[in-house]
Amino acid sequence: MSSAFRADALAGKNVFIAGASSGINLGIAQGFARAGAKLALISRTPERIAAAAATITGAGGTAIGIAADVRDYAAVEAAIRQAHDTLGPLDVVISGAAGNFLAPVVGMSANGFKTVVDIDLIGTFNVFRASFDHLNTPGASLIAITAPQAVNAMMFQAHACAAKAGINMLIKCLAMEWGPAGVRVNGISPGPIADTEGMARLAPTPEVEARYKARLALRDYGTKDDIADSALFLCSDNARYITGTILDCDGGSKLGDASANALKTT
Ligand code: HXC
Ligand code: NAP
């Protein structure tokens, strides 16, 4: 369990999380539930999101799971309205749905590129835009899950790099426009996180995983709890003056190659 969480740190808070049927976003949901939050979770697949909500209710927490594709604005809007009707105005909205695969641009169709941009970038616009009229303001906090790819070019990741770069700028524009309404908008940029679909796709063998770790300043993958802790901080009163920023929780990923190989001359 994440050490930073007090059992009542999020008591009375209503939290909506998109892309919460697995991985990092489910980890945030579970951490937030332990801290007393009431949750509405969405993803595309009815069985997967129902199972995710059940892991929380089964552990004594409060969660509803709603099937909605973030590419479908009407579906997102309906899910957010259902969350508001069930839980009350939303204190925290987290947009973390994403799709990814390794492919060179010449191995990627226009639809392959568009699919990732639609899920990651357009999906984040849809979730945040639809949530605006359902927020508990002033004091609401929005968090987008971005990635180091937003600022570091990466081979075979043109779609994800472009989509996450767009998310980083969307965060800043929304922070400007919605700050006067008492809404803070920030991002978390996770580095490689253990036991996730993302790393299963980007580092599918032990050899690639070892090379990934060797290039990191902190030499290891992070955990889902590391990201949950970052999210808890960003939506807490301790971060009340922070908006429009990206919190890198990445073991130094964004710094570049920290392996000794980077300086070898022979
Ligand atoms: C090339 C591919 C491909 C691949 C799919 N496509 N996989 N192209 N190489 N490996 C193409 C398809 O051929 C199709 O184009 C288009 O993408 C859409 O594919 P569909 O299968 O129809 O799309 P859909 O069912 O909507 O699925 C979306 C998906 C899928 C992104 C393709 O992988 C998915 O559902 N992913 C969700 C889970 C996920 O990816 N989790 C990891 C997130 S991690 P054509 O032209 O044939 O129609 C992450 C890590 C970031 O973001 C950073 C880590 C450091
Ligand atoms: P994951 O388990 O595959 O999580 C992705 C989630 O998005 C799933 O719940 C998936 O559920 C949902 N989803 C996908 N397409 C959707 C759509 N169209 N509409 C609604 N929901 C959709 O992957 P993860 O590795 O934990 O990644 C989670 C987030 O962290 C992503 O934003 C990713 O870019 C980011 N990230 C991950 C890493 C890492 O190391 N893993 C590093 C940096 C950033 P369904 O299939 O049920 O729809």
Side-chain angles (χ1 to χ4, degrees), residues 29 45 49 187 214 240 243 246:
T45 323
I49 201 64
R240 59 171 289 279
T243 197
I246 312 293

Side-chain angles (χ1 to χ4, degrees), residues 44 70-71 96-102 112-113 115-121 157 159-161 163-164 197-198 201-202:
R44 284 170 304 186
V70 294
R71 294 169 284 192
N100 203 347
F101 48 81
L102 284 173
F113 186 86
T115 296
V116 171
V117 172
D118 278 349
I119 299 171
D120 295 27
L121 176 57
Q157 285 285 276
H159 45 359
C161 290
K164 295 293 193 183
E197 181 64 26
R201 290 176 184 227
L202 296 193

Side-chain angles (χ1 to χ4, degrees), residues 7 11 34 37 39 53 61 80 126 129 155 161 176 186 201 211 225 230 243 246 249:
R34 291 193 295 267
L39 294 140
I80 287 174
N126 289 346
R129 175 67 188 87
M155 294 293 280
C161 290
M176 267 190 161
N186 293 293
R201 290 176 184 227
R211 284 205 298 275
D225 278 350
S230 295
T243 197
I246 312 293
C249 181

